[in-house]
Amino acid sequence: DKLTRSMQVQMGLSDEQAKAQRLQTLQVAKAAGVTPEAAFQAETQLSSSAFDPNVLDTILKISQATNFEGNTAEVVQGVAQVLNAYQLARSQQNTEQLGASLVNLFRDTDLQMQDLGDFAKNASVFENAGLKLEQSLASFAGLRNVYQGSEAGTGLRNFVGILQASAGNKTQSDAL
């Protein structure tokens, strides 16, 4: 079928390997409670984005837990943007840790999957300021409750910049 062929080409699989991968992807889709199409979209993007091949289940869980209804390839892209911004490997462990944070934030804030790109654009500033990924994501999500994604990212970036600039000035630092 078309989805299997697309995955086969993207992953560079032989016909036999593609059949085995198709069965595995269908099993993961069934276990995750998603359509085969959603699983194949994510699987193809995972390969394209050079993720650990074992993260499909985690990506589908993130998609389900965040009630994301778009193309699951967008979930992969959002997760990749955040991991890249913090210079983290696209491993099973990093994807699971980020997924756990995202699931909590999506449940408790107005953060949306499409906001991850806005977060990632500013993440290097947060990382350089010494903010851990979870801290900066939570701060961004808090601002996202009030502002649109791009405004939340800019606001947090500006705030972090002010904190960094005032670090050498005791009067300013104490005021903040």
Side-chain angles (χ1 to χ4, degrees):
D1 70 51
K2 184 179 177 183
L3 293 172
T4 304
R5 180 70 182 142
S6 177
M7 181 186 66
Q8 179 181 7
V9 170
Q10 185 63 43
M11 296 176 81
L13 303 175
S14 69
D15 288 343
E16 282 300 310
Q17 291 170 320
K19 286 178 186 177
Q21 186 65 42
R22 180 180 191 279
L23 289 175
Q24 181 181 350
T25 302
L26 290 172
Q27 289 173 344
V28 171
K30 184 177 181 180
V34 301
T35 66
E37 181 180 23
F40 280 103
Q41 288 169 343
E43 183 81 74
T44 301
Q45 187 61 48
L46 285 168
S47 176
S48 177
S49 297
F51 268 85
D52 179 319
N54 299 312
V55 301
L56 176 61
D57 183 55
T58 302
I59 291 294
L60 296 177
K61 286 178 183 175
I62 293 169
S63 180
Q64 290 287 88
T66 59
N67 296 316
F68 184 73
E69 296 182 2
N71 184 326
T72 52
E74 294 175 36
V75 176
V76 175
Q77 291 167 341
V79 169
Q81 287 175 326
V82 173
L83 292 175
N84 283 350
Y86 265 80
Q87 301 172 15
L88 296 171
R90 295 174 185 188
S91 68
Q92 174 103 22
Q93 180 181 1
N94 290 338
T95 304
E96 287 175 354
Q97 287 175 344
L98 176 58
S101 294
L102 289 175
V103 167
N104 289 331
L105 291 171
F106 280 106
R107 184 182 57 235
D108 298 334
T109 69
D110 290 339
L111 188 67
Q112 300 296 312
M113 191 59 65
Q114 49 272 36
D115 294 330
L116 294 182
D118 291 320
F119 169 79
K121 289 176 190 173
N122 298 293
S124 64
V125 173
F126 312 145
E127 183 187 29
N128 291 337
L131 288 174
K132 293 181 181 177
L133 175 58
E134 293 81 8
Q135 293 170 319
S136 57
L137 259 175
S139 299
F140 176 82
L143 285 173
R144 178 60 183 87
N145 284 340
V146 181
Y147 301 107
Q148 293 298 314
S150 62
E151 293 170 341
T154 300
L156 185 57
R157 183 188 68 225
N158 290 343
F159 181 71
V160 168
I162 291 168
L163 287 176
Q164 286 181 307
S166 67
N169 183 321
K170 179 152 175 48
T171 304
Q172 285 181 346
S173 184
D174 288 347
L176 292 173

